[in-house]
Amino acid sequence: MDKDTVARIAAANAYTLPTGRAEALSVQTEKALATLDRISRRLPFEAEPGDFGGAIDQASKQ
Amino acid sequence: MSDITDLSLAELARAIRARKIGAVEATKASCRRIEALRPKLNCFIAFDPEPALKAAKKVDAALPKRKKLGPLAGVPLAHKDMYYRKGRIATCGSGQRKDWVAGATATALARLDAAGALDLGTLNMAEFAYGPTGHNAHFGHCRNPWDPARITGGSSSGSASAVGARLVSAALGSDTGGSIRLPAHLCGLSGLKPTTGRVSRAGAMPLSYSLDTVGPLARTVEDCALMLQVLAGPDPADPTASTRAVPNYLSACRKPAKGLRIGVPRRFFWDDMDKAIGRTLENALAVFRGLGCRVVEIEVSDMDRVTAAANVMLGAEASTLHRRWMLESPERYGAQISARLETGLTYTAVQYIDAQRYRGPALREFLASIDKVDLVFLPTYDKPTPTIAETDVGGSPAAPLVIAALTRLCRPINYLGLPALSVQAGMANGLPVGFQLVGRAFDEATLFQAGAAIQRATDWHKQAPRTG
């Protein structure tokens, strides 16, 4: 995300980032968020957070 | 070093039960060592021996009367300062909670109490368990008993330092991204991150609802099994605690490792391995082969994707918990946690939910990649132990790199929710080194089986620092 978007999201949480911090965070999180974006585009439409509980429960029974 | 403090948790518990060592004698031996080494290691936040000594006297009085006592009767312990005890301050290693008094006792502490364990006080930790080095801006940096200039690892820094220096025989830590396994590796200990849901988190300070786990650091695998035997099981106070039956972990420790299939995924986990540590790990694998295990190379799913999702999940959850204090009293945070919490406030809801949505598929993919083996062998950390000075990066631009380097090999396992046991592997570069055994969900027993077998075949877990 670009630095303005980073600053806007922090502001939406009522938090004001220190000067220069939005740009630093934009760079710092760039790789992880790009990776997450690629994951997101490949996830099945039906995938939901509760899948993990089911998966770990089934895994223990194998 | 006194003979008593050199005993493992299981050895000490057996000796007290057999009345070969008195509980008061054991507690006083621990107290003497704490008083001698506490200033050097800075591993205690609060040391309060009186209640433990009082309880020890009761144990000594009860034993001749053949009263039924718990498996840890009379054994002095101390725990990371994030487990609440009613009426006692739980600082969580922080300025925000430096005077906060808990209103209820954590289930983990209550179960240790019921097992007869004594509690000598609270141990240093990373601020709110959100740091992997052992630095603490409020209570001072915790020091590694093998070399006080080097880091203990974190966030369970005081637990690792105190157990490593033989001040207590075991301690509770917590593991959200390696916070038990990394300090165990760096301080020459065994440490267990249980399956998500295996141990109740009620009364334990939260960092990340999805990733937090409660587990022990100790000197042997058998000690970790003994601790988990006491800690595991359902808890009405924590709906996420599993109702699954708790197996006999101690009997698993006595099983031979012969026939176990151990998978070794080289990609990602060995990409940047220090040569001396790499040789130590190959030696451990050779011991497993000698025990009759089948060691096979495997390919696992993409750990970079798992790490990216784990970081977003952790960041968003931690910042949700801390947002109020970030707005109302930001000056009470240290620089590093402050910077990390800011990061979490910049993720969107969609990003957080995607990180959650990927967790099930990621676990299934990982389990498919290990379906031909019983457990997985991984390094815990792949570099020589850094000094406190070179990792004292606060909230600077270097901090994310230091944090990522230290947690890189542990964090994916928290996201996958699987159990992982860090076990001593001997020495490299003059300092202790460990490896992780990762198993299927709720199959801690197989990890104990393999870990205890290698400890019967080696003396790596018996090596002790020269702390004086």
Side-chain angles (χ1 to χ4, degrees):
Chain A
M1 291 185 293
D2 64 80
K3 63 177 182 177
D4 294 333
T5 308
V6 168
R8 266 201 305 276
I9 297 169
N13 285 315
Y15 190 82
T16 307
L17 290 167
T19 310
R21 186 74 178 129
E23 187 163 14
L25 284 175
S26 169
V27 174
Q28 183 193 314
T29 58
E30 184 181 13
K31 191 179 162 196
L33 293 180
T35 304
L36 188 64
D37 183 57
R38 284 195 296 278
I39 293 168
S40 171
R41 288 164 193 254
R42 290 174 52 186
L43 279 173
F45 179 73
E46 295 82 2
E48 58 173 275
D51 287 350
F52 172 74
I56 205 157
D57 194 47
Q58 286 166 15
S60 66
K61 291 173 184 161
Q62 283 168 0
Chain B
M1 178 183 298
S2 89
D3 289 340
I4 294 177
T5 55
D6 204 24
L7 294 175
S8 72
L9 174 72
E11 288 168 342
L12 182 56
R14 282 194 288 264
I16 291 172
R17 217 164 29 248
R19 294 168 61 196
K20 289 179 180 166
I21 294 171
V24 170
E25 187 186 1
T27 306
K28 284 184 175 172
S30 231
C31 290
R32 280 194 297 275
R33 207 160 162 76
I34 291 165
E35 279 160 1
L37 291 172
R38 184 185 172 193
K40 182 178 172 185
L41 299 173
N42 195 33
C43 51
F44 268 79
I45 286 182
F47 173 46
D48 183 14
E50 288 312 315
L53 281 164
K54 207 170 152 186
K57 280 178 193 161
K58 283 188 184 165
V59 171
D60 283 343
L63 276 166
K65 296 172 189 162
R66 299 186 182 280
K67 283 189 180 169
K68 197 177 177 193
L69 297 171
L72 299 176
V75 178
L77 303 177
H79 308 292
K80 189 173 184 177
D81 195 14
M82 54 166 274
Y83 290 97
Y84 307 159
R85 184 175 289 286
K86 188 176 179 179
R88 184 169 81 178
I89 291 173
T91 69
C92 305
S94 73
Q96 299 284 359
R97 277 194 156 178
K98 72 180 165 59
D99 301 314
W100 181 77
V101 178
T105 297
T107 297
L109 289 189
R111 287 185 178 168
L112 291 169
D113 293 345
L118 314 179
D119 187 349
L120 285 171
T122 56
L123 299 171
N124 204 349
M125 57 184 283
E127 185 174 359
F128 285 115
Y130 209 9
T133 58
H135 290 76
N136 187 299
H138 308 281
F139 296 93
H141 310 325
C142 195
R143 296 185 177 272
N144 190 317
W146 291 83
D147 177 353
R150 293 184 191 275
I151 64 166
T152 53
S155 62
S156 308
S157 51
S159 304
S161 182
V163 178
R166 278 61 179 159
L167 306 190
V168 288
S169 52
L172 286 176
S174 68
D175 195 316
T176 303
S179 286
I180 287 173
R181 290 161 287 158
L182 181 65
H185 162 106
L186 296 175
C187 295
L189 300 171
S190 302
L192 175 74
K193 181 211 98 64
T195 308
T196 300
R198 179 70 291 181
V199 178
S200 167
R201 295 175 295 121
M205 180 215 81
L207 172 61
S208 161
Y209 313 109
S210 302
L211 303 169
D212 291 343
T213 55
V214 170
L217 291 101
R219 294 205 286 273
T220 70
V221 169
E222 183 191 23
D223 289 354
C224 289
L226 181 53
M227 289 284 278
L228 187 65
Q229 200 75 63
V230 169
L231 295 168
D235 178 15
D238 178 2
T240 68
S242 173
T243 55
R244 187 175 304 274
V246 178
N248 188 329
Y249 297 122
L250 291 167
S251 70
C253 289
R254 294 190 283 272
K255 286 186 185 171
K258 187 175 180 181
L260 286 178
R261 297 162 299 171
I262 300 176
V264 185
R266 300 286 181 179
R267 189 166 54 84
F268 181 85
F269 292 100
W270 261 263
D271 284 355
D272 204 15
M273 178 64 67
D274 171 78
K275 279 185 184 167
I277 295 173
R279 279 194 298 274
T280 307
L281 298 182
E282 295 307 326
N283 190 29
L285 284 169
V287 174
F288 275 124
R289 283 190 199 94
L291 290 170
C293 299
R294 194 168 156 229
V295 177
V296 294
E297 305 263 334
I298 58 170
E299 287 283 326
V300 294
S301 42
D302 186 340
M303 291 296 117
D304 285 319
R305 285 192 293 173
V306 167
T307 302
N311 279 328
V312 171
M313 188 185 281
L314 168 63
E317 292 185 1
S319 299
T320 301
L321 280 163
H322 285 272
R323 179 172 162 268
R324 191 191 64 164
W325 286 330
M326 290 173 73
L327 300 176
E328 293 174 0
S329 49
E331 73 286 354
R332 290 192 198 155
Y333 283 114
Q336 185 167 105
I337 188 170
S338 200
R340 290 187 83 180
L341 290 172
E342 279 176 351
T343 311
L345 283 185
T346 68
Y347 297 134
T348 67
V350 170
Q351 287 163 341
Y352 172 70
I353 293 170
D354 272 344
Q356 288 283 8
R357 291 173 75 223
Y358 177 53
R359 205 175 182 197
L363 175 59
R364 286 199 174 87
E365 199 179 346
F366 182 84
L367 291 171
S369 67
I370 67 164
D371 67 344
K372 299 284 192 294
V373 297
D374 299 300
L375 66 167
V376 179
F377 178 103
L378 303 176
T380 307
Y381 179 54
D382 53 5
K383 297 283 180 303
T385 306
T387 64
I388 291 173
E390 68 198 13
T391 48
D392 195 10
V393 289
S396 73
L401 301 174
V402 167
I403 293 164
L406 282 162
T407 58
R408 181 173 170 271
L409 306 178
C410 290
R411 191 176 302 290
I413 310 306
N414 294 75
Y415 184 79
L416 297 169
L418 299 172
L421 177 70
S422 189
V423 182
Q424 300 93 327
M427 307 286 281
N429 309 301
L431 290 162
V433 166
F435 59 83
Q436 298 181 76
L437 298 173
V438 177
R440 292 195 166 72
F442 297 97
D443 191 18
E444 284 82 358
T446 301
L447 307 184
F448 292 141
Q449 179 185 352
I454 200 167
Q455 291 193 335
R456 281 194 298 276
T458 63
D459 64 357
W460 299 328
H461 59 294
K462 292 182 179 165
Q463 292 170 330
R466 288 187 194 141
T467 44

